[in-house]
Amino acid sequence: MKIKEMYCEVCNHLLDIRKDNVYEVNIAGTIFGNTENYDATDCPYCGCQNVLKKRYKRTGKCLSKE
């Protein structure tokens, strides 16, 4: 599986998106107090935070074939 290269939105340098550099961010999105979770990483050059992707909550149980 090929990993997509991501670039900083501010300084346009290549981001280090290894698993140990990515962390979860909570962003308050609506007036009802709901928060959304995103994966983010910091740019090694300018230090700004870059949001990578949205994390979805698991809903329900997985169905297993028995």
Side-chain angles (χ1 to χ4, degrees):
M1 181 176 177
K2 186 175 179 179
I3 297 174
K4 181 181 175 185
E5 290 182 348
M6 302 285 296
Y7 293 93
C8 178
E9 297 173 1
V10 176
C11 66
N12 206 29
H13 279 94
L14 185 64
L15 294 173
D16 185 12
I17 54 173
R18 290 181 295 177
K19 187 176 183 177
D20 56 338
N21 290 336
V22 176
Y23 54 90
E24 190 172 333
V25 177
N26 297 324
I27 299 175
T30 64
I31 60 172
F32 299 112
N34 296 339
T35 60
E36 296 178 341
N37 298 330
Y38 291 90
D39 284 337
T41 187
D42 292 332
C43 177
Y45 297 99
C46 67
C48 67
Q49 184 181 61
N50 289 275
V51 176
L52 301 175
K53 65 176 181 170
K54 184 175 181 178
R55 296 192 129 223
Y56 294 97
K57 296 179 183 177
R58 291 186 182 188
T59 57
K61 294 182 180 179
C62 295
L63 299 175
S64 62
K65 294 181 181 180
E66 293 182 3

